[in-house]
Amino acid sequence: MSQQAGEHTQETTPGRTGAVAITVSDRSSDGRREDESGRLLVAALRDLGYAVSSSVVVPDGVESVADALRAAVADGARLVVTTGGTGMGPRDLTPEGTRQVITRENPGMAELMRREGSRQTPYAAVSRGVVGVVDWPAERGVGGTLVINLPGRPAAVTEGMDIIGPLLRHVLSQVSGGDHTW
């Protein structure tokens, strides 16, 4: 069962990285459409070993995305993956909301997802999703939160997680000050 806009739940299992899945969709947030993408995203994150209890659903828009990301970071999430709002529609503003929150962008991971995704569909090139890090303040210690935007199509969630899944542990290690070796 998905949560409604603004509600966050995060499991804090020792030894597991906390993750939050955020669905950005006007239709899912107001109940007109089931949140299939969020369900698939939660399952993919759990399959990769991340502690995530459910998805957060927010309407499209810069502020709704930025607020959801800030809340997830404040709750201690190390990984936040969004689905939806990355296309060319007038309300597809997930990248703009994400850029308001991240400290540093990682264009390589976003381009990898577009490049590999285009092997499945040419529409992958339409995604404007971004990847970046929210650096934590010094009083919180070394580290930060990795934020990844995926398209909203259910197949794009599965494909995107297959593409970036193998990189996540290494990237999260680096974000926490780990070594740059493989």
Side-chain angles (χ1 to χ4, degrees), residues 52 67 78 81 95 104 112 119 149:
V52 58
D67 289 347
R78 294 286 323 287
V81 184
R104 299 175 285 139
L112 174 67
R119 296 174 194 265
N149 297 157

Side-chain angles (χ1 to χ4, degrees), residues 59-78:
D60 288 287
V62 173
E63 289 307 315
S64 59
V65 170
D67 289 347
L69 292 173
R70 286 185 191 108
V73 171
D75 286 347
R78 294 286 323 287

